[in-house]
Amino acid sequence: MASSFSLLSEDQLLCPICLDTFTKPVSTPCGHNFCLSCLSSYWDNERVHQCPVCKETFERRPDLKVNTFISGLALQFRLLQVTNAHTWSPGPLKDSAEFAVLCDVCTDIQQQAVKSCFECLTSYCSVHLEPHHRAAGLKRHTLVDPLANLQDKICKEHNHILRSFCLSDKVLLCDICFRSQHMNHDVVPVQQAYGEMRDLLGDTEARVQQMIQERQQKLEAMKESVKESKRETSEVIAESVKELTALVSEVQRSQTELMKVMEEKQKAAEEQAGVFIVVLEQENIELQKTKMKLMDIKQTEDQLSFLQTFPESFLLPHTTDLSSFSFNRHMELQHVQKYLSSSVSQLQTLLKKMTTEITTLSASNDVTLRDLQQYEVNVLLDPDSANSILVLSNDGKQMRYDNSPGRVYIHRPNGFSHQLAVLGQRGLWSQRFYFEVLVSQKTEWCLGVATASIQRRREVPRSPDCGLWAIWFRVKRFEAFSSPGVTVYKGKVERVGVFVDYDKGQVSFYDVQTATLIYSFSDCLFTEELYPYFNPCDNECGSNWDPMVIVPVTRIRRLH
């Protein structure tokens, strides 16, 4: 392999701009070579398109294509650098026999291997490695630190060493894989990819650690809040019971006082009336006597005797002035009744208001949904991600299933091929967002959020790590996409609200009409942007032609 580059110097494979080995090399019309990204960035910042080396100016910006020959040379050169760095290096031996790689050639007592050979697929101790230092043919073999399971390092299709890694497709490649299928991809040596992936994992690990700390702090704060809330709730309940009990006692006291006063007034009136009755009865007796006397005189027929006995004056008994007393309590009682009714009505109004406020406290779903709606975002559909069977509206707000005969299907390279799905245009990262979707009378649909790397050209597995957090509605029941066959909610909805709290790892779905929580994913670990996900589904569960429509938020209004 070293002889392959004996006529080339390292400088010939370096980009004049970044001074590193070519990555996706392109050639200008004047014959100079650069990394695609380096030259593109250079021209993006210049008004005139000219060669950075010879300064030749081009009337039009050249259409750059990756030079596959130079790309192959650059990759081989990077691989050679990595191989040479590992060849002949003594490499530390493992102290633990449990993890030591043993020589495959030793027959008696196997010694620890010091090198593994990719071409021989064999690990050697220092004694059996000696031919690789001496024999010309063996010197060209690739020696690395001892590796177990060498067969796993060989391409199953071409039986060549897996030397490189395609960052575009996330697959390991041998030389033949690279030349046949990945020349225009972002390909790097395995060691470089390993380092980059480890760095990426390190960044993700740091982010996960930060999220753990944030959640731990939030957890402690939440526990303390719950404890404080419990204490305050007990105090409020005790104080409320005390005040309401005092109110009930006051009402009972008023009732007792009212009954006492009314009964005393009635008794006093009856006593006064009793005295007057006795007087009137006595006066009636005296008047009856006077009447009898007058009747006797009136019956005398002897005129002389009548005149002689006729009294000089008629002395009537003393009587009471009837107008000085009356027993009419109707007006007084009517006034008391009117005042009492007015007071009770006012008290009932206050009690109804208090009951309404208490009921308001129990309507937690309503309050929660109204709070979440403030995070509304404007969602537009991304046509490039849509399955070719879907029809999207011109305003980017509606999608529907349409497999009518004679329809022309648009092939979309980045579109879904197995899911009848489409994503939103805008990815959202590290924030809260909310949107609403009208599902009307549809018999089946799937709605949620997905990662940018969700599988588009193959079936998305229904598992927790599939990159999709969605609910799937079929006829009258809901499932979580990641838990097939498990019903999480029953019924039918017309309008669905989707809320995402990226930092808390939460995705929640609401029935907007009733402000009811349908389902919530919690403790999710998000590591990339999330995109709204829509799947109007086909007619498997009955007529399902209605579209899914992204609609403006409907603000919740409570009726009092």
Side-chain angles (χ1 to χ4, degrees):
M1 183 182 294
S3 62
S4 302
F5 294 93
S6 59
L7 300 179
L8 289 174
S9 67
E10 181 179 359
D11 292 342
Q12 291 175 288
L13 295 175
L14 297 182
C15 171
I17 297 177
C18 68
L19 302 180
D20 199 357
T21 307
F22 287 124
T23 301
K24 293 185 179 180
V26 294
S27 301
T28 61
C30 58
H32 293 103
N33 301 313
F34 306 90
C35 295
L36 174 60
S37 59
C38 294
L39 186 58
S40 298
S41 299
Y42 177 80
W43 280 347
D44 288 342
N45 297 321
E46 296 291 334
R47 294 183 179 179
V48 179
H49 303 134
Q50 61 181 5
C51 175
V53 176
C54 66
K55 303 303 181 183
E56 180 176 344
T57 302
F58 312 110
E59 293 183 2
R60 295 176 55 192
R61 179 167 175 164
D63 185 14
L64 301 175
K65 302 292 184 182
V66 175
N67 188 318
T68 56
F69 177 72
I70 298 177
S71 180
L73 289 178
L75 178 62
Q76 293 297 327
F77 183 75
R78 289 198 297 270
L79 292 174
L80 179 63
Q81 289 179 313
V82 173
T83 301
N84 289 338
H86 285 80
T87 304
W88 313 120
S89 60
L93 294 178
K94 308 276 186 187
D95 292 333
S96 174
E98 181 182 356
F99 299 99
V101 178
L102 300 179
C103 177
D104 296 323
V105 182
C106 293
T107 56
D108 295 332
I109 300 176
Q110 284 185 294
Q111 301 296 318
Q112 277 189 270
V114 295
K115 290 293 176 183
S116 295
C117 177
F118 272 147
E119 280 73 15
C120 301
L121 297 181
T122 304
S123 297
Y124 298 100
C125 65
S126 58
V127 174
H128 293 115
L129 182 65
E130 192 273 335
H132 281 74
H133 299 333
R134 175 172 42 80
L138 297 179
K139 285 183 177 181
R140 290 193 294 270
H141 285 196
T142 305
L143 300 177
V144 296
D145 288 337
L147 293 174
N149 304 318
L150 280 176
Q151 288 290 346
D152 295 338
K153 280 73 176 177
I154 301 301
C155 176
K156 299 298 187 293
E157 181 178 356
H158 305 113
N159 203 32
H160 278 228
I161 304 169
L162 295 170
R163 297 177 179 273
S164 53
F165 184 77
C166 178
L167 296 175
S168 303
D169 293 339
K170 303 294 188 297
V171 292
L172 289 164
L173 308 174
C174 69
D175 296 343
I176 298 177
C177 293
F178 168 69
R179 290 194 296 270
S180 61
Q181 302 175 16
H182 299 267
M183 287 291 286
N184 294 323
H185 292 186
D186 190 4
V187 178
V188 297
V190 167
Q191 287 77 5
Q192 180 180 340
Y194 174 76
E196 292 179 1
M197 293 301 180
R198 279 181 62 87
D199 292 343
L200 179 61
L201 284 179
D203 295 340
T204 304
E205 182 182 8
R207 173 168 174 77
V208 170
Q209 181 60 33
Q210 179 184 356
M211 293 175 70
I212 290 174
Q213 292 176 353
E214 291 174 350
R215 279 157 177 74
Q216 187 62 35
Q217 293 174 358
K218 189 68 174 180
L219 179 63
E220 296 300 327
M222 186 67 69
K223 288 181 178 179
E224 186 61 31
S225 296
V226 170
K227 182 178 179 181
E228 181 66 18
S229 176
K230 185 176 181 180
R231 184 188 63 79
E232 290 182 356
T233 299
S234 298
E235 291 179 355
V236 170
I237 291 176
E239 187 64 26
S240 300
V241 170
K242 179 181 177 181
E243 292 181 358
L244 290 174
T245 302
L247 177 61
V248 172
S249 298
E250 187 67 23
V251 172
Q252 292 176 339
R253 191 188 67 78
S254 297
Q255 176 183 338
T256 302
E257 184 68 21
L258 176 64
M259 293 174 61
K260 178 182 177 182
V261 170
M262 294 298 293
E263 289 174 353
E264 288 177 352
K265 282 185 170 292
Q266 177 66 23
K267 183 177 180 181
E270 289 178 357
E271 290 177 352
Q272 185 179 3
V275 172
F276 189 66
I277 289 172
V278 170
V279 171
L280 290 182
E281 288 178 344
Q282 186 63 40
E283 289 182 354
N284 274 338
I285 292 174
E286 294 299 324
L287 289 173
Q288 286 290 345
K289 292 180 179 180
T290 303
K291 178 181 176 183
M292 294 300 294
K293 290 180 180 180
L294 294 176
M295 290 179 62
D296 289 342
I297 296 173
K298 186 178 177 182
Q299 291 177 356
T300 302
E301 295 180 354
D302 186 348
Q303 296 177 351
L304 293 177
S305 180
F306 174 81
L307 294 174
Q308 289 175 348
T309 60
F310 190 84
E312 295 180 359
S313 62
F314 296 99
L315 298 175
L316 296 177
H318 175 74
T319 58
T320 304
D321 184 5
L322 295 178
S323 64
S324 64
F325 182 82
S326 67
F327 191 81
N328 185 4
R329 300 193 63 232
H330 174 71
M331 294 299 295
E332 181 183 2
L333 293 173
Q334 190 175 40
H335 171 73
V336 172
Q337 182 65 38
K338 183 177 179 180
Y339 174 77
L340 183 62
S341 297
S342 176
S343 300
V344 170
S345 177
Q346 293 178 18
L347 181 59
Q348 288 176 335
T349 300
L350 292 175
L351 289 174
K352 287 181 180 179
K353 184 177 180 181
M354 182 176 66
T355 303
T356 300
E357 291 299 322
I358 294 174
T359 304
T360 300
L361 292 176
S362 66
S364 57
N365 285 344
D366 190 341
V367 174
T368 299
L369 185 56
R370 282 189 296 155
D371 291 341
L372 301 185
Q373 287 177 329
Q374 65 179 305
Y375 299 105
E376 179 186 12
V377 293
N378 182 27
V379 176
L380 296 175
L381 300 175
D382 177 17
D384 291 336
S385 68
N387 186 297
S388 59
I389 298 180
L390 297 184
V391 176
L392 309 185
S393 62
N394 293 331
D395 63 358
K397 293 290 186 179
Q398 301 185 34
M399 78 292 319
R400 62 181 176 86
Y401 168 74
D402 185 0
N403 67 339
S404 54
R407 180 177 162 235
V408 178
Y409 295 96
I410 301 175
H411 175 68
R412 301 180 175 103
N414 294 322
F416 286 92
S417 60
H418 285 68
Q419 273 72 33
L420 297 175
V422 58
L423 298 178
Q425 285 184 2
R426 178 187 172 196
L428 298 158
W429 178 289
S430 187
Q431 60 177 315
R432 298 174 181 175
F433 60 93
Y434 174 90
F435 59 94
E436 290 184 1
V437 179
L438 185 69
V439 293
S440 189
Q441 300 302 314
K442 293 184 66 61
T443 56
E444 184 180 11
W445 49 266
C446 188
L447 174 66
V449 293
T451 60
S453 60
I454 186 175
Q455 188 64 254
R456 301 191 190 187
R457 309 309 295 173
R458 293 193 294 272
E459 191 74 29
V460 176
R462 297 188 65 179
S463 60
D465 57 352
C466 65
L468 174 61
W469 295 267
I471 53 173
W472 193 342
F473 173 76
R474 294 170 66 89
V475 187
K476 290 185 178 181
R477 56 186 293 270
F478 289 83
E479 296 179 3
F481 182 84
S482 57
S483 302
V486 180
T487 300
V488 298
Y489 189 80
K490 289 185 178 180
K492 191 169 185 178
V493 301
E494 292 188 3
R495 195 181 186 109
V496 182
V498 183
F499 173 73
V500 177
D501 190 327
Y502 192 101
D503 294 331
K504 289 186 178 180
Q506 178 183 346
V507 182
S508 302
F509 302 85
Y510 290 85
D511 178 354
V512 177
Q513 303 300 114
T514 61
T516 303
L517 178 66
I518 298 174
Y519 186 73
S520 183
F521 295 91
S522 58
D523 298 324
C524 306
L525 180 59
F526 303 132
T527 58
E528 53 182 302
E529 287 184 313
L530 298 179
Y531 291 78
Y533 172 93
F534 309 88
N535 185 336
C537 298
D538 54 19
N539 293 319
E540 181 181 350
C541 296
S543 179
N544 196 31
W545 301 109
D546 287 348
M548 295 176 74
V549 185
I550 305 168
V551 291
V553 162
T554 298
R555 305 295 176 186
I556 300 297
R557 294 181 175 85
R558 183 184 292 111
L559 297 178
H560 293 284

